[in-house]
Amino acid sequence: SCAVPLQLFARSNSKPSMSVTLAEVKDAASRLGCSLRVQATGPAYQLDLLWQGPGDAEPGVLGSSTGFTQPNGVAHLESIQIRRFSGYWSRSRLNPASRYAAVPKYDNNGLGLLLSVGVGCWIYEHCPFGCRRAHLLAILDNPTQHATLVRYYRRLGFGMLREVDDSFKSFGDQLVWGGVGTIMEIDVDKFLQRWGPTIRSLGVDSTENSAAGG
């Protein structure tokens, strides 16, 4: 199942463009003060979005995604998560104000977009099976959360494939996904083309302003 921030993306430029690359996603992360770590063994992958805050001895994980690719040409997106201090959680006694203020927060597109596009790039460039489609489960823990997840993924470009419920006909999907909800699908090529301009623009203005100020 996939857990994502509740914040929705701004609409992207719908004009056709060259697919974004994993190198470009890493560059965008760097401009935003983060780094993208990629770990893969065969068809399985884990991508971590890292950020080193004030006083941190080493970078911490802002977000993470895991999954695997399959010989049937469909990648299985197991999880996409953005964690504490990333701007999607409210400040509290567990989230000190100074740390909350320092962490990268992007109102229009979100760290989740950067991580999701990174996953798409890894699939496109490094999948051993040449997968060009990807599936995920918008899990149904409660109706309100489920509706938010479906809306979020549809804004990304995912389409609804089928429902997984408690009936016998969904038994196979329950074994694969470990829960009930809505299986959603995306065309990896179109996804990378859609969000390429957005990824290439992330952090560009701030970088140019910093250079001009220096």
Side-chain angles (χ1 to χ4, degrees), residues 1 76-78 135-137 164 172-179 183:
S1 62
H76 178 111
L77 310 184
E78 185 65 28
H135 290 175
L136 57 76
L137 179 71
V164 180
D173 284 329
Q174 289 185 46
L175 287 179
V176 171
W177 293 100
I183 296 178

Side-chain angles (χ1 to χ4, degrees), residues 90-111:
S90 298
R91 283 171 288 183
S92 69
R93 64 183 182 83
L94 298 176
N95 294 353
S98 59
R99 186 168 174 80
Y100 179 90
V103 78
K105 295 180 281 290
Y106 306 103
D107 295 336
N108 289 333
N109 299 293
L111 299 173

